[in-house]
Amino acid sequence: MVSMHAMVLDKPGTPLILRERPVPTAGEGELMIEIKACGVCRTDLHVVDGELNLPKLPIVPGHEIVGRIAAIGSSVRGFTIGQRVGVPWLGATCGSCPYCRSGAENLCDTPGFTGYTRDGGYATHAVADARFCFLLGEHSDDAEIAPWLCAGLIGWRSYRMAGDAQALGLYGFGAAAHILAQVARWQGGRVYAFTRKDDTVAQDFARSLGAVWAGGSEELPPEPLDAAIIFAPVGALVPAALKAVKKGGRVVCGGIHMSNIPSFPYALLWEERQVMSVANLTREDAREFLDIAPKAGIHSEITRYALARANEALSDLRDGRLQGAAVLIP
Ligand SMILES: [Zn+2]
Ligand SMILES: [Zn+2]
């Protein structure tokens, strides 16, 4: 038996356990990937902490996979052994529901999600549906581009949903915001970064990536925002962001989970302000972002952890000890 290693969640609320398993085989339409790096996303934390319903259990989390193709299943076209590929959160769609047929596959009625309904990248090997794998080329380090696969892609989708924003607020300056700030700046926008009160380290970090202003999330920016994107899982940021956007401005919630949104006066929403959420991603989002990210010279600030230290990486993310993104290296 050729074996692999994986960090496995048996039950939400318990630590991941390092297990040895047989290397999976690539079924029809699948790629088997030797993993080089896998980013740690806040969604993984929600899965591990039991804040999301019905993950496959036991599950191997992780949906920011960068690896090399080690085997190719039957009927797969367009890939060769050894190519570097990325595997994102959207792992499968039905292709036939009304959402899939109308270009909104991110809302598919029966989707598969990497590291949630299918085993993901906290492992040495994984299989993935080839239609949802992306060639990554050879332009940068495996670990540095791992966060592009979700923080980058979901950030990009959120940014597009925010509309044509010149003055853009980012609430929660973690993995997604630190990538998106660079994209927005590259496109000529002005980024306003909102962090936990008095988190001067995160505020300095935001300014170092081109934010024109950084402050606490309860503060008002020096100019009204065209749009705001909330990445922190904190419902109280919704009314806070509504206060900061101008008439007709949009507040986009970019996370999969958030604490309850407190009630707020209608006056905050009045004048055609909008609140919306972003769910998952489409393959078109991935193609767009993976095309512009190298052109924009996106740099990821990462902290590397050996695969077996996945629990430590999750704790550091949970407790706000990370600058940028955590990446597991098998
Ligand atoms: Zn569908
Ligand atoms: Zn994610």
Side-chain angles (χ1 to χ4, degrees), residues 40-44 63-64 89 149-151 154:
V40 175
C41 174
R42 184 165 287 282
T43 298
D44 303 337
H63 56 270
E64 295 181 322
W89 168 249
L149 272 302
C150 185
I154 297 286

